[in-house]
Amino acid sequence: MNSRLQHLLEQWSNDQFTEADKQELIEMLRSASAEREIIPVLQDMWEKTEDEGLFSEEHQQTIIKNILDRYPAGELPDKKEIVPTMYAIHRTHFIRRWRWAVASSVALIIGIGAYYWYQHMQGKRPVDMVQSTTRVQPGQNGALLTLSNGSQVLLDTLQNGRIVLQGGVVARIRNGILLYEGTGSEVQYNTISTPKGRQFQLQLSDGTNVWLNAESSIRYPVTFAGNERLVRIIGEVFLEVAQNPSIPFRVDVNGSTWLEVLGTSFNVNAYENEGAIRTTLQEGSLRVVGDRFNGHLQKVLSPGQQALTTKGNADIRVFDDVNAASVTAWKDGVFDFNNVPLEEAMRQLARWYDIEVVYQQPVPKVQLGGTIKRSLPFADVLYFLGKVGLHYKLEGNRRLIVLP
């Protein structure tokens, strides 16, 4: 058991913890002798670490936070319960070489408490609530490719494959990413669109990388020709533009905002129900044009700045010191709800889990915070919302009613 446990902990720390691994660990926790067998293993792991100073309370909390950001479900026991347990199974020293031992040890402690909490709560949840939430699954990779002739290809299950286009150009799926190969003899336009509950990544013919969030689309030429590279987007898209100063890259956003790029990475949030288009620059420089036909209405962004534009209003508002990593967290598989209004956070959840959110007025004054993984089951998301004081009820499978 000792060697198998150590293997599971390594899998956990390397983000290779599969569903089968999780179930196996749960079976270990169910064993009456689990505590007697597991604790010595963890203690031995700690004793193999190199001393590098005291394992301070600040270090403890940092590690616990890192684990919670990765832990798929459950409730963190009270701090008063965790700290004595931690000191009981390790020497109070921080580590350098065996970092996974620290993280996995704390994860397992949290997991033990979380497992028993989960078993306790499952017995209290109404059967219809459990069944409803299990039907709502987190989003996944997938999209619809519309070719220039109007035919469509569903990319949800096409992991590695070849799509022959007109004019000798080939689109290829490699490791879940759509790539274009060859040069076409005529101008063709393709469109990639993601419904709710889907996201997708592609690489344009010039090497520009594109990430699409749920309920988004991008229209682009299969091969770029002429004196510009022009694409049109709707929804939320992150772009890493390939540098080519002689052929500028331009983005038409919802037909109302115009972006001009030489080589940069940036995020555009242009959902219709967000009320404004938010363009956030991560690297490089970017010119935002509020009205493409009125050139003097423009702003040049520097990294960390965000521009707000609205349809029918050519004014451009620029905000400094924006946390670009927070804005683009969706691309890395995370919801970042720090300083995010409740209604905006619920719109994000609605797109990803393909649910409908309805408010019984007034909208609750609830302050969210922290980050959660987009891979979490919907039941765990509801638990998170309940812990921050949100009251709700679930009707059917996909109608979430937020109560005052």
Side-chain angles (χ1 to χ4, degrees):
M1 176 177 176
N2 290 4
S3 60
R4 183 58 185 166
L5 172 61
Q6 185 165 338
H7 170 75
L8 289 175
L9 295 176
E10 289 177 348
Q11 293 293 94
W12 183 306
S13 64
N14 292 327
D15 278 334
Q16 297 173 344
F17 199 69
T18 67
E19 183 65 28
D21 291 334
K22 183 175 70 174
Q23 293 303 319
E24 184 176 352
L25 182 56
I26 287 177
E27 289 303 319
M28 286 185 179
L29 298 180
R30 284 176 175 158
S31 170
S33 62
E35 185 176 350
R36 292 195 302 273
E37 296 185 61
I38 289 174
I39 296 303
V41 174
L42 299 182
Q43 185 173 4
D44 180 64
M45 290 162 56
W46 276 99
E47 290 175 352
K48 291 178 180 178
T49 65
E50 261 188 23
D51 292 349
E52 220 178 57
L54 289 178
F55 193 73
S56 66
E57 184 172 336
E58 181 181 355
H59 285 143
Q60 293 174 22
Q61 297 307 315
T62 299
I63 292 173
I64 290 171
K65 180 183 183 300
N66 290 340
I67 293 301
L68 285 180
D69 288 343
R70 297 168 52 188
Y71 191 70
E75 180 185 49
L76 173 64
D78 185 81
K79 175 182 173 183
K80 294 179 180 178
E81 299 175 9
I82 291 180
V83 175
T85 309
M86 290 174 62
Y87 277 101
I89 67 168
H90 69 75
R91 298 181 305 172
T92 57
H93 292 286
F94 195 52
I95 56 92
R96 178 164 61 88
R97 288 172 50 198
W98 291 64
R99 295 181 184 277
W100 63 268
V102 181
S104 300
S105 300
V106 179
L108 189 58
I109 295 167
I110 295 172
I112 292 171
Y115 167 71
Y116 289 114
W117 169 87
Y118 180 78
Q119 295 296 317
H120 175 69
M121 290 302 293
Q122 282 292 90
K124 291 187 174 183
R125 286 183 180 178
V127 174
D128 58 345
M129 173 66 82
V130 174
Q131 292 177 342
S132 295
T133 56
T134 54
R135 293 192 188 104
V136 181
Q137 298 299 318
Q140 62 187 38
N141 286 333
L144 184 67
L145 170 63
T146 302
L147 306 180
S148 57
N149 62 4
S151 60
Q152 296 182 320
V153 180
L154 186 63
L155 304 178
D156 284 39
T157 57
L158 189 60
Q159 293 299 316
N160 291 286
R162 188 168 173 267
I163 306 168
V164 179
L165 308 178
Q166 295 171 318
V169 179
V170 172
R172 187 182 304 277
I173 298 287
R174 184 178 300 150
N175 299 323
I177 301 174
L178 183 67
L179 310 169
Y180 285 86
E181 301 173 350
T183 56
S185 58
E186 57 182 285
V187 178
Q188 303 176 57
Y189 285 89
N190 283 184
T191 300
I192 290 280
S193 55
T194 53
K196 286 184 175 181
R198 293 293 184 272
Q199 64 182 17
F200 201 72
Q201 182 181 350
L202 68 148
Q203 186 177 89
L204 303 181
S205 61
D206 67 336
T208 293
N209 291 304
V210 181
W211 287 260
L212 278 77
N213 203 347
E215 209 172 8
S216 305
S217 70
I218 180 169
R219 183 177 184 268
Y220 53 93
V222 171
T223 57
F224 291 104
N227 58 2
E228 70 173 1
R229 295 172 287 168
L230 175 62
V231 301
R232 293 179 171 86
I233 67 171
I234 297 173
E236 185 165 24
V237 181
F238 182 87
L239 298 99
E240 288 180 350
V241 178
Q243 294 191 21
N244 187 346
S246 62
I247 307 179
F249 193 98
R250 295 188 171 98
V251 183
D252 181 346
V253 185
N254 283 11
S256 61
T257 295
W258 191 256
L259 308 177
E260 296 183 358
V261 188
L262 290 179
T264 189
S265 58
F266 59 97
N267 191 83
V268 181
N269 185 316
Y271 290 113
E272 290 287 349
N273 62 355
E274 293 296 342
I277 296 172
R278 290 176 289 179
T279 303
T280 307
L281 181 63
Q282 187 174 68
E283 294 181 357
S285 64
L286 182 70
R287 180 181 293 111
V288 180
V289 182
D291 183 351
R292 58 179 294 193
F293 302 109
N294 191 342
H296 73 274
L297 297 170
Q298 57 183 265
K299 300 284 186 181
V300 177
L301 299 186
S302 299
Q305 289 186 319
Q306 182 181 87
L308 260 67
T309 56
T310 56
K311 198 168 186 177
N313 184 356
D315 185 35
I316 303 172
R317 299 173 61 194
V318 176
F319 298 88
D320 298 323
D321 301 323
V322 174
N323 187 344
S326 175
V327 173
T328 62
W330 66 268
K331 181 177 69 71
D332 301 316
V334 174
F335 290 109
D336 190 328
F337 290 145
N338 288 300
N339 301 315
V340 174
L342 174 64
E343 289 181 274
E344 181 181 335
M346 298 305 288
R347 288 194 293 269
Q348 293 184 37
L349 295 175
R351 295 183 196 110
W352 187 237
Y353 288 93
D354 190 11
I355 60 172
E356 178 188 8
V357 179
V358 178
Y359 295 91
Q360 286 190 355
Q361 297 297 332
V363 177
K365 294 181 180 180
V366 174
Q367 181 64 45
L368 302 181
T371 62
I372 60 174
K373 280 193 169 183
R374 283 159 64 98
S375 59
L376 282 181
F378 188 57
D380 294 343
V381 174
L382 290 180
Y383 173 73
F384 164 80
L385 296 176
K387 292 296 286 184
V388 298
L390 194 69
H391 302 285
Y392 57 84
K393 64 179 179 179
L394 194 64
E395 284 189 353
N397 295 336
R398 300 189 177 276
R399 184 180 173 89
L400 182 67
I401 300 178
V402 180
L403 306 173

